[in-house]
Each structure stands twice: as structure tokens, then as C-alpha cells.
Amino acid sequence: VNDRYCPGDYVTRGQMAAFLSRALGYAPVESTGRFVDVGGSVFAGDIEKVAAAGVTRGCNPPVNDRYCPGDYVTRGQMAAFLSRALEL
């Protein structure tokens, strides 16, 4: 049951992808398999959308074949997501 917002909780990278893809209305994209760790994530579609839009590049440079959907978003990562998403 999703009846709680939990405003004191941290935001995960998967949740951040969902916030951005839904707020900005990104269209669905074909799964590219670009990230090896998102297949079982409820946010897999949102992650694919933000990756296709150039908002994320992954979490393990320089390879960037992982997204780390369960990791918390740092302030720096949030700034990068927003800067790319809003083309700032």
C-alpha cells in the first residue's frame, strides 16, 4: 500500500529517475540494456528514459554500465541530474 510519503527519507537514484522522467514527460524508449543492474527495478523504464535523454551517464565511470538504482542521490548527483534535465 502506497499511503505514505515519508518526507524525511532519502531519495534513491531510481526514484530520482522517476521524478524527472514523469515531471518532464519523457516518452517511453526501447530498453537498451545499457545498465546491467536495472532489470529488476520498478524504475527500469524511467531509468531508460532519463538515460536516453542524456540526463544520466551511470554510476561507475568510466565504464558506466551500472545505474545503481538503490543508491541514495548525493547533492552533487542531484545537481548534475537537474542541470542536464533542465539544460542549464
Side-chain angles (χ1 to χ4, degrees), residues 6 16-17 20 27 32 35 43 45-46 55 57 59 63 68 78-79 83:
C6 305
M16 187 75 187
L20 292 173
T32 63
F35 301 121
F43 301 114
D46 296 301
V55 174
R57 298 180 182 130
C59 68
V63 178
C68 306
M78 183 184 63
S83 176

Side-chain angles (χ1 to χ4, degrees), residues 9-73:
D9 285 1
Y10 294 98
V11 173
T12 67
R13 290 174 55 87
Q15 292 166 334
M16 187 75 187
F19 293 151
L20 292 173
S21 73
R22 296 170 192 183
L24 299 174
Y26 292 146
V29 296
E30 291 288 322
S31 177
T32 63
R34 102 180 59 223
F35 301 121
V36 299
D37 62 344
V38 301
S41 173
V42 68
F43 301 114
D46 296 301
I47 293 165
E48 288 288 346
K49 291 176 193 177
V50 296
V55 174
T56 187
R57 298 180 182 130
C59 68
N60 62 325
V63 178
N64 284 328
D65 64 347
R66 303 182 70 76
Y67 182 76
C68 306
D71 287 2
Y72 296 129
V73 175

